[in-house]
Amino acid sequence: MNRVLSWPHTPIVPGLLEPLKKLRNRTTVTERGTVRFELPLGVVEMEFPANEQHLAPGTEVLVWWKGGGFVCAPAAELKAEERQARVISRRVKAARARLEAARQERAARDSTLSGFGDLPPVDTADHPLLQPGR
């Protein structure tokens, strides 16, 4: 589950947040319950808001920019979700392949069933409703 982080409460110099916004950044939760990055331009530290579920100190998290703010999630949770997504993707691909094979099989079967050329011609001379001009 993604957890929202507060806006960084450390002094922000121009250009400090841009590297954080571009990638998922790996760090751990500090003893004080904050998320801290030491970047070349300075330190960035964020807290969990009071209404958010806090993570235990030492938990490895990934932090990324999402829609106007920072969110984080435990690395183990993200890894499990990614693994599950790959399994689902493989299952969908296999189902699509089976569906396509079934479509091709049905098309081949239908092409052999449409033997209208094998039917005898219809004799319309004896049937009054099929006579022209009546």
Side-chain angles (χ1 to χ4, degrees):
M1 176 173 78
N2 295 347
R3 291 158 179 88
V4 176
L5 294 169
S6 69
W7 190 252
H9 57 81
T10 50
I12 304 297
V13 297
L16 181 62
L17 291 180
E18 292 309 312
L20 280 176
K21 289 182 181 181
K22 298 198 186 304
L23 301 171
R24 287 188 174 189
N25 298 282
R26 188 177 299 266
T27 189
T28 57
V29 177
T30 66
E31 291 297 321
R32 295 186 341 209
T34 62
V35 175
R36 180 182 176 97
F37 295 98
E38 294 186 22
L39 300 173
L41 293 175
V43 175
V44 176
E45 191 170 29
M46 295 174 260
E47 297 176 338
F48 294 99
N51 59 350
E52 278 291 320
Q53 180 182 2
H54 295 264
L55 295 172
T59 303
E60 186 177 29
V61 294
L62 289 170
V63 177
W64 66 96
W65 178 261
K66 183 175 182 181
F70 288 99
V71 294
C72 78
E77 282 182 16
L78 288 176
K79 195 173 199 176
E81 287 176 7
E82 289 170 355
R83 186 174 31 254
Q84 185 179 11
R86 284 192 300 273
V87 167
I88 291 170
S89 176
R90 282 193 293 268
R91 287 180 182 170
V92 167
K93 285 179 183 177
R96 286 180 177 161
R98 287 192 306 267
L99 180 62
E100 182 59 30
R103 284 180 180 153
Q104 289 176 357
E105 180 183 325
R106 185 180 64 228
R109 188 175 55 237
D110 289 348
S111 69
T112 61
L113 293 177
S114 64
F116 291 118
D118 300 340
L119 297 176
V122 177
D123 185 18
T124 60
D126 296 340
H127 200 286
L129 294 177
L130 298 176
Q131 295 299 316
R134 287 191 185 202

